[in-house]
Amino acid sequence: MVKYKIPQDAQWGDIDIMERQLDFTIDPVNFNGLPEYVKELKNEGVRFVTILDPCISTGEPDCTYRPFTLGDEFGIWVNKPDKTPVVGKVWPNDPVYFPDYTNERTKEWWTILIKEFHDLILFDGLWIDMNEPANFVAGDLNDGCAKNKINYPPYVPQVRIDDGSSGLSE
């Protein structure tokens, strides 16, 4: 950008920089050297902002994906009424769990992982994407949505629904 005199104050890293869409990772093949590049950008006065999607893959081999292992250890997942984690589907290939940000331990989990990620890549800001939490399936991947007044209220707002039996989550 400098060479062509194009002003730039920030560079954004989207989900592509992650290894297999896993939060707190960098793709070692397609983004090899990214931490060094970010340092170079910073030397030129350009800030780096990267993305996190708060959904943690459950499919990595035991004890190889720290966000999952630490999350399990801290007990920070959004749970169903039976106290088992809600299983969702988002960007990673495998099913995901969602951090419960109303759980005090989640704050500690999040802080640890953010600091460790910052040690890996010197980002200036984070873009917290799909923090609703967003889910590509209705409810739990295995159990769906509970049939209750919250998921299927007695009123329907003016939205397009192709099938009247669908709840708002579908």
Side-chain angles (χ1 to χ4, degrees), residues 14-87:
D14 205 339
I15 196 167
D16 312 87
I17 75 159
M18 296 179 191
E19 181 179 358
R20 296 176 291 112
Q21 293 83 41
L22 299 174
D23 277 329
F24 307 103
T25 66
I26 298 172
D27 182 326
V29 175
N30 296 312
F31 286 87
N32 184 26
L34 182 61
E36 293 79 16
Y37 177 63
V38 169
K39 287 177 186 174
E40 185 180 314
L41 287 173
K42 291 170 89 58
N43 287 336
E44 296 172 2
V46 177
R47 297 186 183 274
F48 183 74
V49 179
T50 194
I51 190 169
L52 288 176
D53 293 300
C55 55
I56 302 301
S57 175
T58 63
E60 301 307 301
D62 287 345
C63 301
T64 61
Y65 184 43
R66 182 155 164 80
F68 178 79
T69 304
L70 190 63
D72 243 13
E73 180 184 321
F74 282 20
I76 56 103
W77 310 121
V78 172
N79 288 322
K80 297 182 283 191
D82 68 2
K83 306 290 186 217
T84 61
V86 170
V87 180

Side-chain angles (χ1 to χ4, degrees), residues 8 84 94-95 101 132:
Q8 180 184 20
T84 61
D94 294 303
Y101 289 98
E132 293 81 25

